Amino acid sequence: IINAGIVLSIYTLIGREISGRYEASKSNSMIWSWRIAMTITCLSKRIHSIFVLRLFNDAPCMMLFYLSAFLFAKSKWRIGCVFFSLAVSIKMNVLLFAPGLLLLLLQSSQSI
């Protein structure tokens, strides 16, 4: 029961972070509302299998990555990089986001 509670809380945190990203990106040109996108995300078979089967460490890894992406969007680069490196320490597939992060870090350092 404790393990199910931990998995459910991580699932809820990731869902809230994803919906927060959709809500923060609202604009007049956005066709899909963030609620529809969140519903599609929750119905994803991959997301469901990650949390229901509990066979992967993708859930805590992606939770840390989404937290770092949120911090990058708020221009908190140092603490975002800390959470990004924590996500990489859990699972190496987060390194696939590193080229984009490098580009963002270079662009932000030029504006200072």
Side-chain angles (χ1 to χ4, degrees):
I1 294 174
I2 294 172
N3 191 16
I6 292 170
V7 170
L8 182 62
S9 63
I10 291 174
Y11 184 71
T12 305
L13 285 173
I14 290 178
R16 292 187 75 175
E17 175 59 32
I18 292 171
S19 67
R21 293 293 92 220
Y22 282 121
E23 185 175 357
S25 67
K26 275 193 207 177
S27 65
N28 292 334
S29 63
M30 191 170 164
I31 297 172
W32 298 96
S33 71
W34 66 273
R35 290 184 184 112
I36 293 172
M38 185 60 199
T39 303
I40 292 170
T41 303
C42 288
L43 295 176
S44 168
K45 288 186 180 184
R46 181 178 183 276
I47 298 287
H48 182 69
S49 69
I50 286 171
F51 288 99
V52 172
L53 297 177
R54 298 180 207 137
L55 297 175
F56 307 107
N57 54 359
D58 285 343
C61 172
M62 292 310 290
M63 182 180 67
L64 290 171
F65 173 72
Y66 287 140
L67 182 59
S68 70
F70 173 74
L71 291 168
F72 293 146
K74 298 290 183 185
S75 296
K76 297 181 181 180
W77 299 102
R78 288 185 183 172
I79 192 75
C81 287
V82 169
F83 281 106
F84 184 82
S85 66
L86 287 173
V88 169
S89 70
I90 292 175
K91 194 162 183 179
M92 296 292 282
N93 68 346
V94 177
L95 280 177
L96 295 171
F97 297 103
L101 175 59
L102 176 65
L103 179 67
L104 290 174
L105 288 171
L106 290 174
Q107 286 179 348
S108 71
S109 68
Q110 289 177 356
S111 65
I112 294 176

